[in-house]
Amino acid sequence: MNALRPVRSRRQFLRTTAAATLAPFFIRQARAEQPRIRIGQIGTGHAHAAGKMETMRASADFEVVGVVELDPERRAAAEKGKTYAGVEWMTEPQLLDAPGLQAVAVETEVKDLLATAARCIAAGKHIHLDKPAGESLPAFRRLLDDATGARLTVQMGYMFRYNPAFQLCFQLLREGALGDVFSIDAQMSKLIDPAGRRALLPYRGGSMFELGCHVIDAVVTVLGRPQKVLPFNRSVAADGFPDNQLAVLEYPRATVTVRSALCEVDGGVRRQFVVCGTHGTFDIRPLEAPAARLALDAPRGEWKRGYQDVKFPKAGGRYDGDFADLAKVIRAEKAFGFSTEHDLAVQETVLLASGLPVD
């Protein structure tokens, strides 16, 4: 961990967080003076596809050029809802050849994510790539190498990267306020219906692959690539699908447990990310809308010794932070905050934690 530096006060952090949360509402006029970034979406089959489209359409930074959906039943269903009302439906070549197109949100089914993303990179487009990054680590590595060579950004769709509770946790860690991390306990579960289960059956990685990947991204942000990953896959149902999973991640001076299940009643309420360090603990629970408890061994700024509740301003949309950051990167206003090495470490860890091969 970095050497301890002065920790921003609670008031200052919450004021900054509130400003960042509300920023999209206050910068619309300023952004209107700049050309909006022309973006498209390929696929509506990902679980996050509709939310990403709603975010892009509401953003002052982006202009949605069109949407691609090859599956006629899925397209027909999308056309009936508000999310895609009025959008232009295109073929993939039409979208990638659209004048001024700079970026594409890749929101296909998981099995098609990497191949679709590769075509977008080959066409010279930045991409927002939803999670997880397929089942082939070599294919994902090639994609990132191609993007790096073309100076294009691949933004992974891990939704907690811009979550204010996680951002505060990462800040406290950077500043040394929590000391050396010796333990992380993460939980990412839900209860799915039979239709949702059938949709996931082709993916051998089960619940950890589908859901656990979100908190694994955060674990790697804190501790980096683990030395060893031990997966424990169980199936509650008779079909053998791994719907009840535990992964233990080993580090030189820390251990991490990640649990993910698709059979937990109201599992979303109990989602958590608990970081324990030698100077304090940061306990996020639930993850959305986030609430946290912070314990410190000594006062730091306005943070007191012992346990205290941390409240966060009411957030905007779930993916607002993702696309606001992507816009800044595309406009060269900032460097992208997640390296290809990070994303590769996350994907390798996700596959190992899901009991999948990495070669």
Side-chain angles (χ1 to χ4, degrees):
M1 291 296 166
N2 294 337
L4 182 62
R5 298 193 299 273
V7 180
R8 288 190 297 175
S9 71
R10 176 205 309 261
R11 186 177 298 111
Q12 184 179 5
F13 174 81
L14 295 179
R15 184 165 56 243
T16 302
T17 301
T21 300
L22 297 174
F25 299 98
F26 293 119
I27 64 176
R28 289 180 186 274
Q29 185 173 355
R31 288 301 193 201
E33 299 172 3
Q34 302 186 56
R36 298 173 80 187
I37 297 167
R38 288 170 63 79
I39 193 169
Q41 180 173 303
I42 299 180
T44 64
H46 196 280
H48 295 170
K52 301 295 174 69
M53 175 55 65
E54 290 167 358
T55 301
M56 292 186 292
R57 296 189 77 177
S59 171
D61 291 308
F62 292 96
E63 174 191 353
V64 176
V65 174
V67 183
V68 177
E69 179 52 74
L70 299 180
D71 184 278
E73 292 185 6
R74 191 171 282 131
R75 173 173 168 175
E79 288 178 324
K80 294 177 183 178
K82 295 190 301 182
T83 298
Y84 295 95
V87 299
E88 185 171 353
W89 295 89
M90 299 178 166
T91 65
E92 186 176 300
Q94 286 174 330
L95 176 63
L96 295 179
D97 289 340
L101 184 77
Q102 293 178 267
V104 176
V106 181
E107 296 293 331
T108 65
E109 292 182 83
V110 172
K111 65 182 179 64
D112 300 318
L113 286 173
L114 289 181
T116 304
R119 295 192 296 271
C120 294
I121 293 297
K125 313 305 176 188
H126 302 283
I127 58 172
H128 174 89
L129 177 61
D130 227 317
K131 60 80 206 172
E135 293 179 298
S136 170
L137 186 63
F140 185 49
R141 182 180 288 110
R142 288 193 297 271
L143 174 73
L144 294 178
D145 287 345
D146 290 345
T148 299
R151 297 185 179 181
L152 296 170
T153 298
V154 176
Q155 181 192 51
M156 289 302 303
Y158 289 118
M159 60 194 180
F160 298 136
R161 289 181 173 183
Y162 303 95
N163 178 301
F166 281 84
Q167 288 186 333
L168 176 57
C169 180
F170 300 153
Q171 174 204 318
L172 292 169
L173 287 163
R174 286 192 303 269
E175 295 175 342
L178 301 183
D180 295 325
V181 174
F182 61 85
S183 171
I184 298 177
D185 179 27
Q187 173 85 30
M188 188 73 180
S189 298
K190 68 179 179 181
L191 178 64
I192 59 171
D193 59 22
R197 189 180 186 90
R198 286 193 297 272
L200 292 176
L201 287 177
Y203 302 108
R204 299 165 296 160
S207 181
M208 191 68 70
F209 185 72
E210 164 69 7
L211 287 179
C213 58
H214 283 294
V215 288
I216 288 173
D217 178 68
V219 169
V220 174
T221 298
V222 174
L223 289 171
R225 177 186 272 106
Q227 288 185 322
K228 189 175 181 180
V229 179
L230 301 173
F232 299 87
N233 297 340
R234 301 292 183 267
S235 179
V236 173
D239 58 15
F241 180 71
D243 56 10
N244 177 29
Q245 293 169 276
L246 163 69
V248 178
L249 283 55
E250 296 184 2
Y251 291 87
R253 299 174 64 187
T255 54
V256 175
T257 58
V258 179
R259 289 187 179 274
S260 186
L262 295 170
C263 48
E264 181 177 338
V265 175
D266 267 347
V269 176
R270 209 174 65 82
R271 292 177 179 180
Q272 63 193 57
F273 191 81
V274 185
V275 179
C276 297
T278 53
H279 293 314
T281 294
F282 198 82
D283 180 348
I284 309 173
R285 188 182 335 188
L287 306 184
E288 298 176 295
R293 298 189 74 207
L294 169 65
L296 293 173
D297 62 353
R300 287 177 173 81
E302 292 189 23
W303 304 111
K304 66 182 183 180
R305 181 181 181 278
Y307 265 108
Q308 56 221 280
D309 292 331
V310 183
K311 303 295 183 182
F312 299 92
K314 185 177 181 180
R318 187 188 229 184
Y319 311 115
D320 287 356
D322 301 58
F323 285 94
D325 194 56
L326 181 60
K328 291 178 182 178
V329 173
I330 292 173
R331 291 189 172 118
E333 296 173 3
K334 68 180 291 288
F336 188 50
F338 297 90
S339 67
T340 58
E341 291 79 11
H342 171 85
D343 284 341
L344 280 171
V346 170
Q347 184 62 11
E348 179 183 60
T349 306
V350 168
L351 294 174
L352 291 172
S354 304
L356 297 176
V358 295
D359 50 17

